[in-house]
Amino acid sequence: MVDLSQYLPILLFLGVAIALSSAFVFLPMIAARFTGAHKPNPEKLSEYECGFPAFEDPRSQFDVRFYLIAILFIVFDLEAAFIYPWAVSVFSLGWVAWISMMIFIAELALGLVYAWKKGALDWE
């Protein structure tokens, strides 16, 4: 016979996780209803992140610079994700790791200069 009491900590952890995630989702919605923050108006419903209306024809054309900026952000965000673990362990890795990272940073710098010269960072 299997002793099911071994699974009790897992079930407790799962119950706490579900309760907390539900609270983080539903309590702000309930608080917004009671405090009056849930009163939509044209200013609140306007587009503010992407620059074009979100609820239009999905086949409408828009400027490709939004995607270009997003791709550049991801590239340089990944650079930070690679540099941090390297910086933590650089003294134990030796000169080969240091030279490899300098080559990596130089390649990224060349990519930034290329994007800058092509006007990818210009916003009109």
Side-chain angles (χ1 to χ4, degrees):
M1 189 84 180
V2 177
D3 185 21
L4 295 178
S5 65
Q6 297 174 358
Y7 294 105
L8 183 63
I10 295 172
L11 290 176
L12 287 175
F13 181 77
L14 185 63
V16 169
I18 290 172
L20 282 176
S21 61
S22 298
F24 285 134
V25 169
F26 294 115
L27 285 179
M29 295 162 98
I30 293 169
R33 293 281 182 181
F34 285 128
T35 60
H38 181 74
K39 291 183 180 171
N41 59 30
E43 188 66 30
K44 282 185 180 180
L45 297 176
S46 67
E47 58 276 352
Y48 59 92
E49 286 182 351
C50 60
F52 57 91
F55 302 108
E56 285 187 353
D57 184 21
R59 293 176 297 257
S60 64
Q61 292 185 356
F62 60 93
D63 201 351
V64 76
R65 287 182 290 183
F66 295 116
Y67 286 124
L68 189 59
I69 295 295
I71 290 171
L72 289 173
F73 170 76
I74 289 171
V75 166
F76 290 105
D77 189 45
L78 285 176
E79 172 191 2
F82 285 137
I83 289 177
Y84 180 74
W86 170 81
V88 170
S89 61
V90 68
F91 294 115
S92 64
L93 294 175
W95 284 102
V96 174
W98 188 82
I99 292 170
S100 300
M101 185 55 72
M102 293 305 115
I103 292 171
F104 177 69
I105 291 174
E107 288 175 353
L108 284 172
L110 285 175
L112 178 62
V113 169
Y114 176 77
W116 199 340
K117 293 288 183 184
K118 286 291 187 179
L121 301 176
D122 294 336
W123 199 262
E124 299 168 359

